[in-house]
Amino acid sequence: MKRKQRTEILINGSAELAAALAQEIENRYQVTTIEEPNHGLVMVKVRETAQKSLFYLGEVFVTECKVQIEGCMGIGILKGDEPERAYDLAVIDAAYEAVLKETAAWSALLQAEADRIANERKAFAAKIRRTKVDFETMDTE
């Protein structure tokens, strides 16, 4: 599983899953905090579809954290004010960067969480589709 996909699952999924995985690493390894969870602003870049040009839509408020495990750096960054989750993401990222043996068992957990997120999104989309109006079948007279 690639870093981007793993991070999206951990951000969109259960905070308890990220906390449990980070706790597993903290119990077995020395985690050095390089940068405490802090807030910042990140510019959002968007591609305009007609002319295919890039422009900055605005800024997003984020929380970021950096840690080190076994000499490998991990970063956690997500939108909003979530310092605990940013720390957990950083610990998990550092564990993967250090190729710790615990990360091998996490693939199944992350895939199960990805499936749960997908099912939630499908259910939400189905609820929205029920409210959709079909103008082709409406009587206009």
Side-chain angles (χ1 to χ4, degrees):
M1 183 175 295
K2 294 189 178 184
R3 185 182 206 182
K4 180 180 178 183
Q5 183 184 12
R6 177 179 71 234
T7 303
E8 286 178 1
I9 292 168
L10 291 168
I11 288 173
N12 294 320
S14 166
E16 290 80 24
L17 175 63
L21 298 179
Q23 188 64 47
E24 183 179 346
I25 296 301
E26 288 178 315
N27 291 340
R28 296 185 181 147
Y29 299 92
Q30 175 66 37
V31 178
T32 306
T33 303
I34 304 298
E35 185 179 313
E36 292 286 336
N38 61 58
H39 302 111
L41 295 171
V42 175
M43 294 296 291
V44 178
K45 194 184 305 185
V46 178
R47 183 170 303 279
E48 190 269 323
T49 55
Q51 296 179 358
K52 308 286 188 222
S53 61
L54 291 174
F55 69 97
Y56 290 101
L57 184 62
E59 296 174 324
V60 173
F61 179 74
V62 297
T63 306
E64 61 182 323
C65 179
K66 292 179 186 166
V67 301
Q68 190 173 28
I69 301 172
E70 306 260 318
C72 294
M73 182 79 73
I75 185 167
I77 185 168
L78 68 159
K79 70 179 179 180
D81 180 22
E82 297 191 61
E84 296 86 13
R85 199 171 215 182
Y87 177 80
D88 293 340
L89 290 173
V91 170
I92 293 165
D93 188 48
Y96 272 99
E97 288 295 312
V99 193
L100 301 179
K101 65 179 189 272
E102 290 80 4
T103 60
W106 293 352
S107 294
L109 294 172
L110 291 172
Q111 188 57 52
E113 187 68 8
D115 294 342
R116 188 189 67 75
I117 293 167
N119 289 337
E120 271 185 13
R121 287 182 177 167
K122 284 180 187 174
F124 184 71
K127 282 174 88 174
I128 290 174
R129 276 195 300 278
R130 284 198 310 258
T131 66
K132 185 176 178 182
V133 176
D134 184 4
F135 290 100
E136 295 294 321
T137 60
M138 285 183 63
D139 187 13
T140 57
E141 295 177 21

